[in-house]
PDB file of all heavy atoms in Angstrom:
ATOM      1  N   TRP A 313       2.247   0.550  14.954  1.00 98.00           N
ATOM      2  CA  TRP A 313       1.580   1.761  15.448  1.00 98.00           C
ATOM      3  C   TRP A 313       2.121   2.137  16.798  1.00 98.00           C
ATOM      4  O   TRP A 313       2.676   1.292  17.528  1.00 98.00           O
ATOM      5  CB  TRP A 313       0.062   1.574  15.461  1.00 98.00           C
ATOM      6  CG  TRP A 313      -0.457   0.733  16.589  1.00 98.00           C
ATOM      7  CD1 TRP A 313      -0.378  -0.620  16.702  1.00 98.00           C
ATOM      8  CD2 TRP A 313      -1.103   1.194  17.769  1.00 98.00           C
ATOM      9  NE1 TRP A 313      -0.963  -1.034  17.858  1.00 98.00           N
ATOM     10  CE2 TRP A 313      -1.406   0.079  18.560  1.00 98.00           C
ATOM     11  CE3 TRP A 313      -1.466   2.454  18.255  1.00 98.00           C
ATOM     12  CZ2 TRP A 313      -2.057   0.173  19.771  1.00 98.00           C
ATOM     13  CZ3 TRP A 313      -2.130   2.569  19.454  1.00 98.00           C
ATOM     14  CH2 TRP A 313      -2.412   1.423  20.210  1.00 98.00           C
ATOM     15  N   LEU A 314       1.983   3.398  17.113  1.00 98.00           N
ATOM     16  CA  LEU A 314       2.438   3.910  18.408  1.00 98.00           C
ATOM     17  C   LEU A 314       1.312   4.696  19.034  1.00 98.00           C
ATOM     18  O   LEU A 314       0.576   5.420  18.333  1.00 98.00           O
ATOM     19  CB  LEU A 314       3.638   4.876  18.215  1.00 98.00           C
ATOM     20  CG  LEU A 314       4.904   4.283  17.600  1.00 98.00           C
ATOM     21  CD1 LEU A 314       5.872   5.433  17.261  1.00 98.00           C
ATOM     22  CD2 LEU A 314       5.557   3.312  18.556  1.00 98.00           C
ATOM     23  N   ASP A 315       1.206   4.618  20.351  1.00 98.00           N
ATOM     24  CA  ASP A 315       0.259   5.444  21.089  1.00 98.00           C
ATOM     25  C   ASP A 315       1.057   6.510  21.833  1.00 98.00           C
ATOM     26  O   ASP A 315       1.857   6.209  22.727  1.00 98.00           O
ATOM     27  CB  ASP A 315      -0.516   4.562  22.073  1.00 98.00           C
ATOM     28  CG  ASP A 315      -1.693   5.340  22.719  1.00 98.00           C
ATOM     29  OD1 ASP A 315      -1.749   6.579  22.552  1.00 98.00           O
ATOM     30  OD2 ASP A 315      -2.511   4.690  23.380  1.00 98.00           O
ATOM     31  N   ALA A 316       0.858   7.789  21.433  1.00 98.00           N
ATOM     32  CA  ALA A 316       1.621   8.867  22.058  1.00 98.00           C
ATOM     33  C   ALA A 316       1.432   8.898  23.579  1.00 98.00           C
ATOM     34  O   ALA A 316       2.332   9.319  24.318  1.00 98.00           O
ATOM     35  CB  ALA A 316       1.227  10.212  21.443  1.00 98.00           C
ATOM     36  N   ASP A 317       0.275   8.436  24.025  1.00 98.00           N
ATOM     37  CA  ASP A 317       0.037   8.397  25.477  1.00 98.00           C
ATOM     38  C   ASP A 317       1.093   7.602  26.238  1.00 98.00           C
ATOM     39  O   ASP A 317       1.364   7.867  27.401  1.00 98.00           O
ATOM     40  CB  ASP A 317      -1.345   7.793  25.771  1.00 98.00           C
ATOM     41  CG  ASP A 317      -2.443   8.844  25.751  1.00 98.00           C
ATOM     42  OD1 ASP A 317      -2.112  10.036  25.651  1.00 98.00           O
ATOM     43  OD2 ASP A 317      -3.611   8.460  25.831  1.00 98.00           O
ATOM     44  N   ASP A 318       1.687   6.607  25.539  1.00 98.00           N
ATOM     45  CA  ASP A 318       2.697   5.770  26.209  1.00 98.00           C
ATOM     46  C   ASP A 318       4.005   6.506  26.419  1.00 98.00           C
ATOM     47  O   ASP A 318       4.915   5.973  27.070  1.00 98.00           O
ATOM     48  CB  ASP A 318       3.004   4.527  25.337  1.00 98.00           C
ATOM     49  CG  ASP A 318       1.819   3.586  25.252  1.00 98.00           C
ATOM     50  OD1 ASP A 318       0.924   3.694  26.106  1.00 98.00           O
ATOM     51  OD2 ASP A 318       1.766   2.779  24.301  1.00 98.00           O
ATOM     52  N   HIS A 319       4.130   7.721  25.865  1.00 98.00           N
ATOM     53  CA  HIS A 319       5.398   8.424  25.929  1.00 98.00           C
ATOM     54  C   HIS A 319       5.325   9.745  26.700  1.00 98.00           C
ATOM     55  O   HIS A 319       6.255  10.529  26.657  1.00 98.00           O
ATOM     56  CB  HIS A 319       5.949   8.605  24.487  1.00 98.00           C
ATOM     57  CG  HIS A 319       6.060   7.285  23.824  1.00 98.00           C
ATOM     58  ND1 HIS A 319       7.065   6.365  24.142  1.00 98.00           N
ATOM     59  CD2 HIS A 319       5.243   6.668  22.941  1.00 98.00           C
ATOM     60  CE1 HIS A 319       6.862   5.248  23.449  1.00 98.00           C
ATOM     61  NE2 HIS A 319       5.752   5.403  22.714  1.00 98.00           N
ATOM     62  N   HIS A 320       4.229   9.937  27.398  1.00 98.00           N
ATOM     63  CA  HIS A 320       4.122  11.088  28.317  1.00 98.00           C
ATOM     64  C   HIS A 320       5.029  10.877  29.508  1.00 98.00           C
ATOM     65  O   HIS A 320       5.122   9.747  30.032  1.00 98.00           O
ATOM     66  CB  HIS A 320       2.697  11.205  28.879  1.00 98.00           C
ATOM     67  CG  HIS A 320       1.776  12.033  28.029  1.00 98.00           C
ATOM     68  ND1 HIS A 320       1.994  13.348  27.748  1.00 98.00           N
ATOM     69  CD2 HIS A 320       0.599  11.721  27.449  1.00 98.00           C
ATOM     70  CE1 HIS A 320       0.996  13.837  27.017  1.00 98.00           C
ATOM     71  NE2 HIS A 320       0.152  12.845  26.802  1.00 98.00           N
ATOM     72  N   PRO A 321       5.719  11.931  29.977  1.00 97.00           N
ATOM     73  CA  PRO A 321       6.393  11.801  31.274  1.00 97.00           C
ATOM     74  C   PRO A 321       5.320  11.462  32.346  1.00 97.00           C
ATOM     75  O   PRO A 321       4.157  11.876  32.203  1.00 97.00           O
ATOM     76  CB  PRO A 321       6.948  13.221  31.517  1.00 97.00           C
ATOM     77  CG  PRO A 321       6.924  13.906  30.197  1.00 97.00           C
ATOM     78  CD  PRO A 321       5.837  13.269  29.389  1.00 97.00           C
ATOM     79  N   ALA A 322       5.735  10.734  33.351  1.00 97.00           N
ATOM     80  CA  ALA A 322       4.777  10.302  34.364  1.00 97.00           C
ATOM     81  C   ALA A 322       4.034  11.508  34.990  1.00 97.00           C
ATOM     82  O   ALA A 322       2.835  11.405  35.291  1.00 97.00           O
ATOM     83  CB  ALA A 322       5.522   9.527  35.464  1.00 97.00           C
ATOM     84  N   GLU A 323       4.722  12.657  35.142  1.00 98.00           N
ATOM     85  CA  GLU A 323       4.076  13.834  35.742  1.00 98.00           C
ATOM     86  C   GLU A 323       2.900  14.293  34.882  1.00 98.00           C
ATOM     87  O   GLU A 323       1.892  14.786  35.412  1.00 98.00           O
ATOM     88  CB  GLU A 323       5.049  15.030  35.884  1.00 98.00           C
ATOM     89  CG  GLU A 323       6.390  14.731  36.467  1.00 98.00           C
ATOM     90  CD  GLU A 323       7.371  14.231  35.419  1.00 98.00           C
ATOM     91  OE1 GLU A 323       7.950  15.052  34.699  1.00 98.00           O
ATOM     92  OE2 GLU A 323       7.555  12.989  35.369  1.00 98.00           O
ATOM     93  N   ASN A 324       3.044  14.184  33.553  1.00 98.00           N
ATOM     94  CA  ASN A 324       1.934  14.612  32.680  1.00 98.00           C
ATOM     95  C   ASN A 324       0.690  13.762  32.905  1.00 98.00           C
ATOM     96  O   ASN A 324      -0.436  14.270  33.011  1.00 98.00           O
ATOM     97  CB  ASN A 324       2.336  14.486  31.209  1.00 98.00           C
ATOM     98  CG  ASN A 324       3.251  15.625  30.734  1.00 98.00           C
ATOM     99  OD1 ASN A 324       3.683  16.429  31.552  1.00 98.00           O
ATOM    100  ND2 ASN A 324       3.521  15.683  29.458  1.00 98.00           N
ATOM    101  N   VAL A 325       0.931  12.449  33.000  1.00 97.00           N
ATOM    102  CA  VAL A 325      -0.219  11.530  33.180  1.00 97.00           C
ATOM    103  C   VAL A 325      -0.891  11.821  34.532  1.00 97.00           C
ATOM    104  O   VAL A 325      -2.109  11.907  34.647  1.00 97.00           O
ATOM    105  CB  VAL A 325       0.243  10.069  33.096  1.00 97.00           C
ATOM    106  CG1 VAL A 325      -0.915   9.129  33.411  1.00 97.00           C
ATOM    107  CG2 VAL A 325       0.793   9.780  31.701  1.00 97.00           C
ATOM    108  N   GLU A 326      -0.045  12.049  35.543  1.00 97.00           N
ATOM    109  CA  GLU A 326      -0.569  12.321  36.894  1.00 97.00           C
ATOM    110  C   GLU A 326      -1.389  13.636  36.883  1.00 97.00           C
ATOM    111  O   GLU A 326      -2.458  13.731  37.486  1.00 97.00           O
ATOM    112  CB  GLU A 326       0.589  12.412  37.887  1.00 97.00           C
ATOM    113  CG  GLU A 326       0.222  12.249  39.336  1.00 97.00           C
ATOM    114  CD  GLU A 326      -0.834  11.177  39.573  1.00 97.00           C
ATOM    115  OE1 GLU A 326      -0.747  10.062  39.007  1.00 97.00           O
ATOM    116  OE2 GLU A 326      -1.804  11.475  40.343  1.00 97.00           O
ATOM    117  N   HIS A 327      -0.871  14.608  36.173  1.00 97.00           N
ATOM    118  CA  HIS A 327      -1.532  15.921  36.039  1.00 97.00           C
ATOM    119  C   HIS A 327      -2.937  15.736  35.454  1.00 97.00           C
ATOM    120  O   HIS A 327      -3.918  16.234  35.980  1.00 97.00           O
ATOM    121  CB  HIS A 327      -0.654  16.785  35.133  1.00 97.00           C
ATOM    122  CG  HIS A 327      -0.908  18.246  35.203  1.00 97.00           C
ATOM    123  ND1 HIS A 327      -0.412  19.034  36.210  1.00 97.00           N
ATOM    124  CD2 HIS A 327      -1.583  19.076  34.378  1.00 97.00           C
ATOM    125  CE1 HIS A 327      -0.778  20.290  36.031  1.00 97.00           C
ATOM    126  NE2 HIS A 327      -1.490  20.338  34.910  1.00 97.00           N
ATOM    127  N   MET A 328      -2.994  14.989  34.330  1.00 97.00           N
ATOM    128  CA  MET A 328      -4.305  14.760  33.665  1.00 97.00           C
ATOM    129  C   MET A 328      -5.214  13.933  34.552  1.00 97.00           C
ATOM    130  O   MET A 328      -6.425  14.202  34.656  1.00 97.00           O
ATOM    131  CB  MET A 328      -4.090  14.099  32.299  1.00 97.00           C
ATOM    132  CG  MET A 328      -3.410  15.014  31.283  1.00 97.00           C
ATOM    133  SD  MET A 328      -3.287  14.282  29.619  1.00 97.00           S
ATOM    134  CE  MET A 328      -1.746  13.391  29.730  1.00 97.00           C
ATOM    135  N   ARG A 329      -4.626  12.921  35.196  1.00 97.00           N
ATOM    136  CA  ARG A 329      -5.446  12.077  36.060  1.00 97.00           C
ATOM    137  C   ARG A 329      -6.128  12.903  37.156  1.00 97.00           C
ATOM    138  O   ARG A 329      -7.251  12.639  37.557  1.00 97.00           O
ATOM    139  CB  ARG A 329      -4.533  11.006  36.719  1.00 97.00           C
ATOM    140  CG  ARG A 329      -5.289   9.788  37.239  1.00 97.00           C
ATOM    141  CD  ARG A 329      -4.368   8.923  38.104  1.00 97.00           C
ATOM    142  NE  ARG A 329      -3.235   8.386  37.380  1.00 97.00           N
ATOM    143  CZ  ARG A 329      -3.298   7.306  36.595  1.00 97.00           C
ATOM    144  NH1 ARG A 329      -4.437   6.675  36.433  1.00 97.00           N
ATOM    145  NH2 ARG A 329      -2.231   6.869  35.972  1.00 97.00           N
ATOM    146  N   ARG A 330      -5.431  13.977  37.599  1.00 97.00           N
ATOM    147  CA  ARG A 330      -5.998  14.842  38.631  1.00 97.00           C
ATOM    148  C   ARG A 330      -7.008  15.846  38.070  1.00 97.00           C
ATOM    149  O   ARG A 330      -7.505  16.724  38.756  1.00 97.00           O
ATOM    150  CB  ARG A 330      -4.883  15.563  39.367  1.00 97.00           C
ATOM    151  CG  ARG A 330      -4.153  14.625  40.354  1.00 97.00           C
ATOM    152  CD  ARG A 330      -3.272  15.372  41.336  1.00 97.00           C
ATOM    153  NE  ARG A 330      -2.028  15.798  40.701  1.00 97.00           N
ATOM    154  CZ  ARG A 330      -1.542  17.026  40.742  1.00 97.00           C
ATOM    155  NH1 ARG A 330      -2.182  17.980  41.397  1.00 97.00           N
ATOM    156  NH2 ARG A 330      -0.407  17.327  40.124  1.00 97.00           N
ATOM    157  N   GLY A 331      -7.231  15.776  36.722  1.00 97.00           N
ATOM    158  CA  GLY A 331      -8.235  16.647  36.107  1.00 97.00           C
ATOM    159  C   GLY A 331      -7.684  17.985  35.660  1.00 97.00           C
ATOM    160  O   GLY A 331      -8.452  18.946  35.452  1.00 97.00           O
ATOM    161  N   LEU A 332      -6.336  18.050  35.477  1.00 98.00           N
ATOM    162  CA  LEU A 332      -5.726  19.332  35.056  1.00 98.00           C
ATOM    163  C   LEU A 332      -5.211  19.199  33.629  1.00 98.00           C
ATOM    164  O   LEU A 332      -4.531  18.231  33.305  1.00 98.00           O
ATOM    165  CB  LEU A 332      -4.556  19.656  36.003  1.00 98.00           C
ATOM    166  CG  LEU A 332      -4.944  19.797  37.483  1.00 98.00           C
ATOM    167  CD1 LEU A 332      -3.700  19.850  38.366  1.00 98.00           C
ATOM    168  CD2 LEU A 332      -5.798  21.076  37.663  1.00 98.00           C
ATOM    169  N   PRO A 333      -5.519  20.194  32.806  1.00 98.00           N
ATOM    170  CA  PRO A 333      -5.046  20.113  31.414  1.00 98.00           C
ATOM    171  C   PRO A 333      -3.560  20.379  31.282  1.00 98.00           C
ATOM    172  O   PRO A 333      -2.969  21.130  32.080  1.00 98.00           O
ATOM    173  CB  PRO A 333      -5.851  21.219  30.686  1.00 98.00           C
ATOM    174  CG  PRO A 333      -6.344  22.135  31.756  1.00 98.00           C
ATOM    175  CD  PRO A 333      -6.361  21.386  33.058  1.00 98.00           C
ATOM    176  N   LEU A 334      -2.946  19.798  30.277  1.00 98.00           N
ATOM    177  CA  LEU A 334      -1.526  20.062  30.021  1.00 98.00           C
ATOM    178  C   LEU A 334      -1.395  21.441  29.357  1.00 98.00           C
ATOM    179  O   LEU A 334      -2.319  21.906  28.710  1.00 98.00           O
ATOM    180  CB  LEU A 334      -0.978  19.017  29.050  1.00 98.00           C
ATOM    181  CG  LEU A 334      -1.040  17.548  29.486  1.00 98.00           C
ATOM    182  CD1 LEU A 334      -0.407  16.653  28.412  1.00 98.00           C
ATOM    183  CD2 LEU A 334      -0.347  17.359  30.820  1.00 98.00           C
ATOM    184  N   ASN A 335      -0.224  22.030  29.559  1.00 98.00           N
ATOM    185  CA  ASN A 335       0.078  23.267  28.810  1.00 98.00           C
ATOM    186  C   ASN A 335       1.220  22.987  27.827  1.00 98.00           C
ATOM    187  O   ASN A 335       1.764  21.882  27.777  1.00 98.00           O
ATOM    188  CB  ASN A 335       0.422  24.415  29.765  1.00 98.00           C
ATOM    189  CG  ASN A 335       1.580  24.049  30.682  1.00 98.00           C
ATOM    190  OD1 ASN A 335       2.478  23.297  30.281  1.00 98.00           O
ATOM    191  ND2 ASN A 335       1.589  24.587  31.901  1.00 98.00           N
ATOM    192  N   ASP A 336       1.616  24.012  27.079  1.00 98.00           N
ATOM    193  CA  ASP A 336       2.652  23.814  26.046  1.00 98.00           C
ATOM    194  C   ASP A 336       3.941  23.281  26.646  1.00 98.00           C
ATOM    195  O   ASP A 336       4.570  22.372  26.117  1.00 98.00           O
ATOM    196  CB  ASP A 336       2.957  25.151  25.344  1.00 98.00           C
ATOM    197  CG  ASP A 336       1.830  25.561  24.386  1.00 98.00           C
ATOM    198  OD1 ASP A 336       0.850  24.820  24.276  1.00 98.00           O
ATOM    199  OD2 ASP A 336       1.988  26.629  23.751  1.00 98.00           O
ATOM    200  N   GLU A 337       4.331  23.890  27.771  1.00 98.00           N
ATOM    201  CA  GLU A 337       5.595  23.502  28.428  1.00 98.00           C
ATOM    202  C   GLU A 337       5.630  21.999  28.740  1.00 98.00           C
ATOM    203  O   GLU A 337       6.681  21.362  28.679  1.00 98.00           O
ATOM    204  CB  GLU A 337       5.688  24.306  29.728  1.00 98.00           C
ATOM    205  CG  GLU A 337       7.064  24.603  30.186  1.00 98.00           C
ATOM    206  CD  GLU A 337       6.987  25.383  31.516  1.00 98.00           C
ATOM    207  OE1 GLU A 337       6.198  26.370  31.582  1.00 98.00           O
ATOM    208  OE2 GLU A 337       7.651  24.945  32.433  1.00 98.00           O
ATOM    209  N   MET A 338       4.467  21.472  29.104  1.00 98.00           N
ATOM    210  CA  MET A 338       4.400  20.050  29.435  1.00 98.00           C
ATOM    211  C   MET A 338       4.332  19.184  28.170  1.00 98.00           C
ATOM    212  O   MET A 338       4.700  17.992  28.227  1.00 98.00           O
ATOM    213  CB  MET A 338       3.134  19.774  30.268  1.00 98.00           C
ATOM    214  CG  MET A 338       3.206  20.411  31.613  1.00 98.00           C
ATOM    215  SD  MET A 338       1.541  20.541  32.299  1.00 98.00           S
ATOM    216  CE  MET A 338       1.934  20.568  34.006  1.00 98.00           C
ATOM    217  N   ARG A 339       3.849  19.750  27.099  1.00 98.00           N
ATOM    218  CA  ARG A 339       3.695  18.943  25.892  1.00 98.00           C
ATOM    219  C   ARG A 339       4.981  18.866  25.078  1.00 98.00           C
ATOM    220  O   ARG A 339       5.181  17.861  24.364  1.00 98.00           O
ATOM    221  CB  ARG A 339       2.562  19.487  25.019  1.00 98.00           C
ATOM    222  CG  ARG A 339       1.173  19.203  25.607  1.00 98.00           C
ATOM    223  CD  ARG A 339       0.073  19.617  24.651  1.00 98.00           C
ATOM    224  NE  ARG A 339      -1.260  19.322  25.146  1.00 98.00           N
ATOM    225  CZ  ARG A 339      -2.178  20.267  25.339  1.00 98.00           C
ATOM    226  NH1 ARG A 339      -1.894  21.544  25.097  1.00 98.00           N
ATOM    227  NH2 ARG A 339      -3.384  19.923  25.770  1.00 98.00           N
TER     228      ARG A 339
END
Side-chain angles (χ1 to χ4, degrees):
W313 76 284
L314 298 170
D315 188 349
D317 272 352
D318 293 340
H319 305 286
H320 271 299
E323 313 84 81
N324 282 8
V325 175
E326 199 40 45
H327 199 79
M328 292 185 273
R329 200 191 297 279
R330 285 193 284 130
L332 301 168
L334 301 182
N335 57 31
D336 286 0
E337 209 181 312
M338 293 161 155
R339 287 186 178 120

